[in-house]
Amino acid sequence: MAELKKEFLNVYSVLKKELLHDPAFSLTEDSRNWVERMLDYNVPGGKLNRGLSVVDSYKLLKELSSSKKGAQLTESEIFHSSVLGWCIEWLQACALVLDDIMDSSHTRRGQMCWYKLPKVGMIAINDGLILRNHVPRILKKHFRSKPYYLELLDLFHEVECQTVGGQMIDLITTLVGEIDLSEYSLPTHRQITVSKTSYYSFYLPVACALLMTGEKLESHSGMKDILIEMGSYFQVQDDYLDCFGDPEVIGKIGSDIEDFKCTWLVVKALELCNEEQKKILYDNYGKKDPESVARVKDLYKTLKLQDVFEEYEKKTHEKLNKSIDAYPSKAVQAVLQSFLAKIHRRLK
């Protein structure tokens, strides 16, 4: 894994160099230095799970579909699967840069949010757009001669539309919630998480790998359903860790309570609390002061939401395992099991 990550990071350096000298972007020396700093700060600093998952998934699919068991990937295959992985990491960086501004976040990946840095501020909005516009340039340079190029473009467009749509629902729901917390429900939470998280974090990496093997995505709708469900599970974990996780481990200070987010925790709390407890939630949820946040967290503990989450995680893990075991393709099964193993009982 260490060697794979090293090779993956080497591909980042290649792509960065290409983009900094891409004639499609008219950069002065100062702006080129800015973009390079912005890329290094925002793109490679995370766990890189989404990007590496493309390489892992392609490797598993190729090995288990090949007549030569244990066949190694060629340098070209490693490079191209890594390039697709970085396209996802670029989209992730764009989403995080803009999301942090919209949420007024302070830290990300163990460091100050990009927009919080001196002299950056709202320039970060344009930086997010630059990151987003890098992706089609990367795809065109490295995949336009591939038979699946148009399908790749369509896939990235579909996923991006789903993601920004999910973000919009999230933001609008927050505004409605400022008036009436009862608008928050499990169906609303699921709609947000499926669009905002499942598509680009789970479906996109595997879909990219499948296209590289020559498969047609319409032949694997069942795989998509499983990955969407897995992404929903991942977001519930994220909601839980935002409240109960260690900031030193997860790399950020949780702010979902202050930001009035429609999280799994607040939805479950609304389901479980009595009228007196509901008043505590209404009076304190979404307020910035530490005392109000503490009251909400105390209520979560009183409602034993940590135990409720553990039960949810156990049942969801069992359900996903059954769905994966029933999938007809052994190669796809292996990919899905690999994804599930990475997120089950995660701490960050």
Side-chain angles (χ1 to χ4, degrees):
M1 179 57 73
E3 185 61 30
L4 178 63
K5 191 169 183 178
K6 182 181 177 182
E7 291 180 5
F8 190 67
L9 287 168
N10 287 339
V11 175
Y12 166 76
S13 299
V14 172
L15 297 176
K16 182 179 75 169
K17 185 177 180 181
E18 290 173 351
L19 291 166
L20 290 174
H21 297 89
D22 187 336
F25 298 96
S26 301
L27 298 176
T28 63
E29 193 61 32
D30 285 344
S31 61
R32 186 174 288 110
N33 290 335
W34 177 284
V35 171
E36 181 172 19
R37 177 178 170 235
M38 183 269 292
L39 291 176
D40 288 342
Y41 197 89
N42 293 294
V43 179
K47 297 184 288 291
L48 305 180
N49 287 341
R50 293 167 182 82
L52 287 168
S53 291
V54 180
V55 186
D56 287 341
S57 298
Y58 181 68
K59 189 170 185 293
L60 280 170
L61 290 169
K62 195 75 187 294
E63 285 177 351
L64 294 173
S65 301
S66 174
S67 56
K68 296 178 181 179
K69 297 302 180 183
Q72 296 296 306
L73 298 185
T74 65
E75 286 187 15
S76 175
E77 288 173 327
I78 292 172
F79 178 79
H80 281 92
S81 58
S82 295
V83 170
L84 287 178
W86 279 115
C87 284
I88 299 174
E89 292 294 336
W90 245 268
L91 277 185
Q92 163 81 344
C94 165
L96 296 185
V97 166
L98 299 178
D99 193 63
D100 285 343
I101 296 170
M102 288 181 267
D103 288 345
S104 300
S105 299
H106 297 282
T107 59
R108 170 72 66 179
R109 294 172 170 173
Q111 60 186 5
M112 292 293 292
C113 295
W114 173 245
Y115 84 99
K116 283 285 188 180
L117 295 187
K119 299 183 180 179
V120 178
M122 292 302 103
I123 296 174
I125 296 173
N126 194 64
D127 291 333
L129 296 175
I130 288 173
L131 288 165
R132 182 258 174 266
N133 280 280
H134 278 169
V135 175
R137 298 299 298 172
I138 296 171
L139 291 174
K140 182 177 181 181
K141 181 172 181 62
H142 294 284
F143 292 94
R144 64 178 158 180
S145 63
K146 303 292 184 183
Y148 51 87
Y149 174 57
L150 290 179
E151 289 175 281
L152 264 183
L153 289 179
D154 189 52
L155 172 65
F156 272 86
H157 286 152
E158 177 198 355
V159 169
E160 189 175 14
C161 285
Q162 288 285 350
T163 304
V164 297
Q167 176 73 348
M168 175 59 70
I169 297 168
D170 188 11
L171 294 169
I172 289 176
T173 303
T174 300
L175 291 175
V176 173
E178 289 178 356
I179 301 168
D180 186 3
L181 193 59
S182 65
E183 291 291 327
Y184 289 177
S185 65
L186 277 178
T188 300
H189 177 265
R190 180 174 174 80
Q191 188 177 12
I192 293 168
T193 59
V194 165
S195 297
K196 192 176 172 182
T197 302
S198 295
Y199 271 86
Y200 88 96
S201 295
F202 287 83
Y203 175 58
L204 182 55
V206 182
C208 284
L210 270 175
L211 287 176
M212 279 192 67
T213 65
E215 292 279 340
K216 296 295 183 182
L217 297 182
E218 55 266 28
S219 303
H220 292 278
S221 58
M223 175 207 74
K224 183 177 183 179
D225 293 339
I226 294 171
L227 287 165
I228 294 301
E229 189 63 38
M230 213 179 293
S232 183
Y233 167 40
F234 180 88
Q235 186 58 53
V236 171
Q237 291 176 314
D238 240 27
D239 292 349
Y240 178 83
L241 291 171
D242 185 273
C243 180
F244 294 111
D246 182 351
E248 293 294 322
V249 176
I250 64 176
K252 65 176 182 177
I253 300 169
S255 61
D256 284 350
I257 294 173
E258 296 96 316
D259 295 337
F260 219 101
K261 288 295 181 182
C262 180
T263 69
W264 182 85
L265 289 171
V266 74
V267 167
K268 294 305 292 184
L270 286 165
E271 284 185 357
L272 296 170
C273 62
N274 57 36
E275 289 304 313
E276 184 180 342
Q277 291 168 330
K278 189 175 288 187
K279 186 177 187 308
I280 294 173
L281 204 54
Y282 270 71
D283 289 345
N284 293 281
Y285 199 75
K287 293 186 177 177
K288 302 290 184 182
D289 64 283
E291 287 186 4
S292 292
V293 174
R295 289 191 191 101
V296 173
K297 288 187 177 181
D298 286 342
L299 176 59
Y300 286 172
K301 290 173 183 175
T302 300
L303 295 170
K304 297 183 178 180
L305 287 189
Q306 287 158 296
D307 294 339
V308 176
F309 170 76
E310 284 187 18
E311 183 64 20
Y312 161 84
E313 185 162 49
K314 179 184 175 183
K315 288 183 177 178
T316 303
H317 186 251
E318 290 173 353
K319 179 183 175 184
L320 285 167
N321 268 320
K322 286 180 181 177
S323 298
I324 293 169
D325 289 343
Y327 200 79
S329 165
K330 294 296 182 184
V332 173
Q333 268 189 22
V335 171
L336 296 172
Q337 284 291 1
S338 174
F339 263 74
L340 186 56
K342 289 174 185 175
I343 66 171
H344 183 49
R345 295 192 179 278
R346 68 189 179 96
L347 299 175
K348 61 180 181 179

